[in-house]
Amino acid sequence: MKLLKQLIDETGAKVVLSSTWRVSWSHLKLGVQSQFMHDFVELRDKLWEHGVELYDRTIILDAFMRRRGEEIKAYLDNHDDIESYVILDDLNGKYLRPCSSHLVQTSEWRGLEEKHIKKAKEMLEKGM
């Protein structure tokens, strides 16, 4: 969390959720109970504790989350004020096409590390 906050502070980046967590965010906003809502609220609160706010979320095109790259592209297409972006994920880029070139793949076991922050900053500075 501290490294994510550092990246945000140093770059002015905003967090747009594209993972499966966003489904529970939708449910929470609609007042619909779901089995994952508790986990989402816990995530959101933990981020808030570290000064990280969830800015927005991408749309859901596929209930099985197999089209995340297309969902990210749709978000970018609808927000032409975005100058650069980076995707932080522990999954490989296969699920992120056509946006996989913006992936910084984090460690499945160790999470976000200094080397990921460095690479993410370089991508954000490079722009679209």
Side-chain angles (χ1 to χ4, degrees):
M1 298 288 183
K2 289 179 184 176
L3 288 174
L4 179 60
K5 176 69 171 145
Q6 174 188 332
L7 177 64
I8 291 167
D9 288 347
E10 292 177 3
T11 64
K14 295 182 176 156
V15 177
V16 176
L17 202 56
S18 69
S19 72
T20 54
W21 294 97
R22 70 200 149 119
V23 176
S24 295
W25 187 358
S26 299
H27 289 170
L28 184 66
K29 290 204 178 264
L30 294 171
V32 176
Q33 291 298 315
S34 94
Q35 65 186 36
F36 303 110
M37 196 174 312
H38 179 275
D39 293 337
F40 170 75
V41 169
E42 191 173 321
L43 167 71
R44 182 199 63 195
D45 292 351
K46 186 60 79 175
L47 289 168
W48 282 353
E49 282 176 30
H50 287 84
V52 176
E53 182 180 346
L54 294 172
Y55 178 74
D56 204 354
R57 64 186 180 277
T58 59
I59 61 168
I60 298 169
L61 297 174
D62 175 14
F64 297 103
M65 308 297 168
R66 295 173 298 209
R67 298 174 59 192
R68 260 200 314 171
E70 294 171 44
E71 294 164 345
I72 293 168
K73 180 163 182 348
Y75 186 88
L76 294 168
D77 290 346
N78 288 316
H79 295 84
D80 56 0
D81 58 326
I82 296 174
E83 298 173 3
S84 63
Y85 73 100
V86 65
I87 302 167
L88 301 173
D89 204 320
D90 63 351
L91 296 175
N92 66 43
K94 176 172 93 173
Y95 301 99
L96 299 170
R97 291 183 189 123
C99 300
S100 53
S101 64
H102 288 263
L103 170 67
V104 173
Q105 188 172 1
T106 60
S107 168
E108 182 179 355
W109 304 108
R110 292 182 303 280
L112 191 60
E113 300 175 283
E114 279 290 338
K115 64 183 178 183
H116 303 130
I117 296 299
K118 182 180 181 205
K119 187 173 180 183
K121 282 175 62 176
E122 289 170 1
M123 280 188 176
L124 290 171
E125 290 168 2
K126 181 180 171 185
M128 303 276 258

